[in-house]
Amino acid sequence: MPRINDHYLKLQAGYLFPEIGRRVKAFAAANPQTSGGIIKLGIGDVTEPLAPVVVEAMHLAIDELSKRETFRGYCDEQGYDFLRHAIAEHDFRARGCDIADDEVFVSDGSKCDTGNILDILAPGRENVIALTDPVYPVYVDTNVMGGHTGPRKDSGEYEGLVYLPMTAENQFCPPLPARKVDVIYLCFPNNPTGAVLPREELAKWVDYARANDALILFDAAYCAFITDPALSRSIYELPGARDVAIEFRSFSKTAGFTGTRCAYTVVPKSVTGLNASGEKVQLHKLWNRRHTTKFNGVAYVVQRAAEAVYSSEGQKQVQATIDFYMENARIIRQSLTALGMKVFGGEHAPYVWLQTPAGLKSWAFFDKLLNECHVVGTPGSGFGASGEGYFRISAFNSRANVEEAMQRMRDRLKI
Ligand code: MLT
């Protein structure tokens, strides 16, 4: 019989979002007559259709695949040149970031990439890993799976990880680690709190990484939701970042690709790590080796669809959808504030983060909202110990559903 990876047994039973899904399903089964149905503002999943230019590009690509002369099979695992070039040009060089086309690796998702990146770092507990708390659970769980942590403590934290609390008390600005760390996960605009870091705060992290030979894993999946041009969209806008940071980006929320699947990871050739003999090795080389070995590329149709996002019409169309979701976020913020709740985020991110009323625990508020209003959100404690007492509402839904959810909270929530 095979031996299993025991580290999996340290994990909490289920991943956060399937666990929410399970509870909602059980509630719906026990309450078949929920008036008006259950409104889901839990997982951040897009609801609006793909932009017309994206759909058109997909149709054209399918036509190409239907003819022998233009048919394509395997592509380069790292992505087609046309897409790598469009990404590097529009998302980086146009904003003054020095990123080459071949430093962009196209993939099927940032969730996978932020987990898979651990493949190229030392196994076991050689690296000290820091992450913010609350945090996107994938970063924690994949470190647990890889054996980079000790056991789970009663607090829900894992031994060996360095947690950097982000709460209302520190304006959701994580403190620099008190001990020297080797790897730091940062996600801004932040999931789940919706917080953003001013440029000078982000610069502190780049300086820290440079001074301590640390690696920053920067998740910028929500950068398209930034509404203030003074905020950095990419960590590479900060001087020196290309020596210490890997950046993850996704078309999921930017262009409604959660079901279509396309993302990319930027690994500059100047980012290095140490081998067993203490010599520097390019992480780009290792990631390229991993990607070409374990991944076979994103579908041609999808890469053409992603390329279309960068056309001038594409930019206008995806921006209109982003603006639509951000108007939802504004409505949520305004409605909850009017209900006397303390709300954060939702200004440069599609998530509104609220302090649970009457000191309720996060899961207690989840149950209350589901029972009284038939509205689903995400309990803050699901994102980490410092998320306890908070709750996340996603702005990804139709206007009618967002307005109805807010109306139900006004009418039915007994605080
Ligand atoms: C979320 O709701 O936090 C995200 O949709 C999860 C994800 O992007 O995987």
Side-chain angles (χ1 to χ4, degrees), residues 41-92:
L41 304 177
I43 189 166
D45 193 6
V46 294
T47 55
E48 302 311 297
L50 293 170
V53 288
V54 166
V55 175
E56 197 185 324
M58 289 174 111
H59 283 155
L60 286 173
I62 289 177
D63 289 344
E64 284 182 64
L65 298 183
S66 69
K67 294 188 209 97
R68 178 172 298 279
E69 310 77 64
T70 46
F71 174 77
R72 301 190 188 219
Y74 289 126
C75 72
D76 286 345
E77 294 87 347
Q78 303 91 333
Y80 281 106
D81 288 346
F82 64 77
L83 182 55
R84 299 176 89 188
H85 177 74
I87 290 169
E89 192 59 39
H90 289 87
D91 286 345
F92 298 101

Side-chain angles (χ1 to χ4, degrees), residues 218-352:
F218 191 74
D219 186 348
Y222 298 95
C223 66
F225 294 82
I226 290 177
T227 51
D228 178 354
L231 293 165
S232 312
R233 287 190 170 210
S234 165
I235 196 158
Y236 303 122
E237 288 176 35
L238 291 136
R242 69 162 274 126
D243 299 335
V244 290
I246 288 177
E247 184 164 304
F248 303 92
R249 294 267 194 117
S250 172
F251 292 90
S252 283
K253 315 293 158 77
T254 308
F257 275 44
T258 54
T260 309
R261 310 305 310 150
C262 196
Y264 65 87
T265 290
V266 180
V267 187
K269 295 191 196 94
S270 39
V271 181
T272 52
L274 297 181
N275 68 12
S277 327
E279 293 146 351
K280 284 186 179 178
V281 178
Q282 276 185 351
L283 295 192
H284 181 276
K285 242 188 204 160
L286 303 187
W287 185 247
N288 190 57
R289 185 69 172 86
R290 189 221 169 266
H291 205 68
T292 49
T293 305
K294 292 196 180 183
F295 187 64
N296 242 344
V298 171
Y300 175 66
V301 175
V302 171
Q303 293 198 54
R304 280 294 184 201
E307 181 194 30
V309 169
Y310 294 103
S311 63
S312 59
E313 203 44 45
Q315 289 288 289
K316 275 187 230 145
Q317 291 175 4
V318 297
Q319 189 58 50
T321 307
I322 289 167
D323 293 347
F324 169 84
Y325 290 128
M326 290 309 285
E327 175 61 11
N328 283 350
R330 193 196 61 76
I331 292 169
I332 295 167
R333 274 183 65 92
Q334 194 181 44
S335 309
L336 299 182
T337 307
L339 281 175
M341 295 190 193
K342 241 183 155 169
V343 301
F344 308 93
E347 287 174 317
H348 304 287
Y351 298 124
V352 175

Side-chain angles (χ1 to χ4, degrees), residues 15 17 42-45 111 136 138 191 222 253 351 383 392:
Y15 181 61
F17 293 108
I43 189 166
D45 193 6
K111 181 181 185 178
Y136 181 40
V138 171
N191 179 15
Y222 298 95
K253 315 293 158 77
Y351 298 124
F383 297 101
R392 194 190 79 175

Side-chain angles (χ1 to χ4, degrees), residues 138-207:
V138 171
Y139 314 153
V140 175
D141 288 5
T142 53
N143 271 287
V144 175
M145 291 169 174
H148 306 303
T149 75
R152 189 166 184 272
K153 300 189 271 189
D154 290 344
S155 62
E157 294 181 341
Y158 287 90
E159 222 178 83
L161 292 179
V162 175
Y163 290 89
L164 311 166
M166 280 177 76
T167 60
E169 284 71 44
N170 62 12
Q171 284 84 48
F172 302 98
C173 234
L176 290 171
R179 62 181 283 204
K180 186 174 157 14
V181 301
D182 304 300
V183 180
I184 305 153
Y185 288 84
L186 293 178
C187 171
F188 288 101
N190 186 249
N191 179 15
T193 66
V196 280
L197 272 196
R199 220 184 140 80
E200 52 294 356
E201 281 298 324
L202 199 51
K204 283 187 196 164
W205 287 97
V206 173
D207 294 346

